[in-house]
Each structure stands twice: as structure tokens, then as C-alpha cells.
Amino acid sequence: MIYLDNAATTKMSDKAVEEQLFWACSNFYNPSATYSQAVKVSFELSNARTRLKKLLGVKNGDIIFTSGATEANNLAIRGSERNGDWEYVFSSGEHASVYNLAKQLELEGKVVKYVPLVESGEIDITELEKALSTKTRVVSIIFVNNVTGAINNIKEISKIVRNKSPKAILHIDGVQAFCKIPFKLSELDVDLFSISAHKFHGPKGVGALYVKNKSSLKSIVYGGGQEFGIRSGTENVPGIMSMTVAAENIDIKSNYEKVKLLREKFEDAIRDDKIKLVSTQNGSPYILSLLFEGINGETLVRILENDIIVGRGSACSSKKAGNHVLQAMGYSAEQIKGAIRVSFDSSLTEEQVVYSAEKIKNDYLSLLEKLK
Ligand code: PMP
């Protein structure tokens, strides 16, 4: 079986599993307790924050551990809300954890602006400039789009936000970027940045929110005051330590080069007049979205599943009919019906991706033939 849905989740690395077991079984103490064994755990949690900041490429600020990026994204946006006449700016290509929260803010009567995407899937910068004002409180933008792999230019976005909305908090959903594409957070000038462990060979149900200035963030969960009083609840120590080790064991640059090559081989082998590549060469090599004319993508997923596993865009929204990201890029409902997302990992071989591309193409063409 060849797994090509690595944007949905990845297999845990051996080192990450080993680390998780150690903190679950040998060093299981509650980091908030006062005896020396527990204090040591608390000390290692602090170390993990520093280690993650190093990997993110930033010295200042803090790391708040969460149950994953859905929570980190919610904390970033909800935690930055303030009373008053404030506005919110999102792109139309946000992950469901931001997009559905944006819809909820609208229901609550807030002014919410959605910035359209350009044809290749990035945020429309001219429209972003128009949406921003001195009343903007929160801007939340995805770094690498989870459906298309389109990469937003965060440096440019942050310059524009700082200039037009000096009081705005800028949050970036960095889930599909961290440990995959090279960047230094200190160079991006953002306030908040979300990551999720299971996207980089760590465990599920654990993630983090980087916070430049924690005094600007309000708690959305009340309790024992863990995580600087911002995110109460006993920390998932095994998950956090495992996430940190998982990230430290990734060679971002060499994986990137390898995946880029694999993606090229895959694209060469799948090319056909009836298969449209949605993702462009400027995006993340890890994610490739394709539209298969005249079929339902779900049928193809099922035909392939015993041999090759592919996804349907975002795992979180794949059970729903439409896909707001592809819609925002201008694709019709009929085209979106035939959408498949292929997402790569550096552990794959050239033979595996070429075999998969050929098999996907052949299975698709015979399905199309049957439907005639
Ligand atoms: N943002 C993006 C871009 C994602 O791809 C995902 C995972 N599908 C999330 C947020 C949510 O992450 P988690 O599964 O950790 O809640």
C-alpha cells in the first residue's frame, strides 16, 4: 500500500514513538506538581518551548501547547478578540478551523472580511490592502494552503498589515509549512503562528501556538492556569516531548529537494488532457491537487484504496460536498466533484510515485470509459 495523503496526517517516526512512551511510562508526573520528579518534567517542558522556537527560527516570544492546530487557531483568533467596533480579515482559502470560526464571528454580528484568492490559489494582495483598515483587529492567513499547496508571501502580507492596520494582530496558520518548507519565523514579523505535530511525523492531538507577546492574548479555557494562564489543563507531556523530537529529526532542506523531485516524476507520469493540475510549480511540493473530469473523486479514492491512498482535499471537510478553497479559486461545483489531493513524504521512492501516477491515471480512464 502506498500512502499519498500526508497532508491529512503522517505516520509517527520511531524516535517520536520512543519519546512518547518514555514520557508516558517512565516520566509521567504532572508538571504542575511540586515534588522534584514533577519539577523536572516542568523544566523539560520549558526546554521543549525553547527547542521548538529554535526550529521555528525565532528567539523572542513563547510557545503555548495545545491539543493541535484547530485549538491553536481558535485560541489565536478568539484570544485576540476585544470589545468594541473591531473588524476581522481572513482569506477565502483558510482551513475549516479558521473558516468556520470566521462564519461564527459573522453570526455573532462581527464585521468579517474575506479576501479572495488569485487563480493560482494565493491571497489576492490588492484585495487584502482594500480589506484592511485601522479598525482591523485580527488578520488570520494560511501560510501553505492545505488543499492546493499554494504559498502565501507572509513577509509581504505582514508589511501591508503593519502599514494599514497598526493595531491588528497577525495570525498565521503554519501547519502545512512548518517542517516542510524552509523559513525563519523571526523574518516574517507575525504575532501568532500555529503548528500541529501529526503533520510532521509526531502524534495526533498535540500542537502549539507561537505567541510573540503573550500579554495580548486572552485565555479561552479557564482552569488551573497552566501555559502562562492562557491554556488551562494538564499538558500532554508525552505528546509535547514527542512532537519536539519529531520536529528535530526532520531535515527540511533535503526532504524538500527530494519531495520536489518525486512530485515532478508524479506529474510527468499522470499528465493527461482530462486531468487538470490545480497546484502550481510555485507552491509547496508536498501538496498536489488534481481535477479529474467527468467523475466523482470519491469513487476514484475507493477504487484505489487497497493499493494507493489519496485524499480529497482537506480531511476535515472532505466528507462535505463542496470545497471552499477550490471554489474561491474559481472552479465550478462540477469540476470540484472530481477533485483529488495527492500529498507526498520524503520516505516515498521514485518507483512508488511513478507507479501510483500511472495507476491513478489508468483507473481513472477506465472509470470514465465505464461511465460513458
Ligand atoms: N490548519 C491546516 C492548514 C491543516 O492542514 C490542519 C489539519 N488538517 C489544521 C489546521 C488542523 O490541525 P489539527 O488536526 O491539529 O487540529
Side-chain angles (χ1 to χ4, degrees), residues 7-8 67-71 73 95 97 142 144 146 173 175-176 196 198-199 206 314 316:
S67 64
T70 297
E71 187 192 334
N73 288 347
H95 180 264
S97 54
I142 197 164
V144 172
N146 55 299
D173 176 346
V175 169
Q176 300 289 350
S196 175
H198 73 106
K199 308 291 184 177
V206 60
S314 169
C316 318

Side-chain angles (χ1 to χ4, degrees), residues 160-181:
I160 295 169
V161 171
R162 301 305 182 209
N163 183 31
K164 295 213 70 179
S165 309
K167 288 190 177 150
I169 299 284
L170 176 59
H171 166 249
I172 303 301
D173 176 346
V175 169
Q176 300 289 350
F178 182 57
C179 285
K180 293 184 192 256
I181 65 164

Side-chain angles (χ1 to χ4, degrees), residues 211-317:
V211 185
K212 186 152 89 180
N213 175 11
K214 61 181 183 298
S215 64
S216 71
L217 198 66
K218 284 190 310 187
S219 165
I220 58 167
V221 177
Y222 296 87
Q226 291 91 340
E227 298 298 292
F228 315 106
I230 293 170
R231 198 276 188 181
S232 285
T234 304
E235 288 92 347
N236 173 2
V237 179
I240 292 164
M241 301 311 288
S242 173
M243 163 166 73
T244 310
V245 163
E248 281 172 344
N249 278 284
I250 287 175
D251 185 336
I252 298 171
K253 284 199 178 123
S254 112
N255 287 358
Y256 182 95
E257 290 309 321
K258 183 165 182 216
V259 167
K260 196 161 170 269
L261 243 156
L262 293 174
R263 150 86 167 262
E264 281 165 17
K265 298 281 173 202
F266 183 95
E267 283 191 12
D268 287 345
I270 203 160
R271 234 171 229 117
D272 186 274
D273 285 349
K274 291 196 174 319
I275 304 172
K276 176 163 178 53
L277 306 187
V278 170
S279 309
T280 68
Q281 299 301 327
N282 301 329
S284 161
Y286 284 85
I287 299 175
L288 175 63
S289 253
L290 309 121
L291 300 179
F292 292 82
E293 199 181 298
I295 62 142
N296 187 332
E298 199 52 41
T299 315
L300 191 54
V301 169
R302 290 297 150 79
I303 290 172
L304 293 165
E305 72 187 359
N306 290 329
D307 195 13
I308 299 161
I309 293 184
V310 294
R312 292 237 39 222
S314 169
C316 318
S317 56

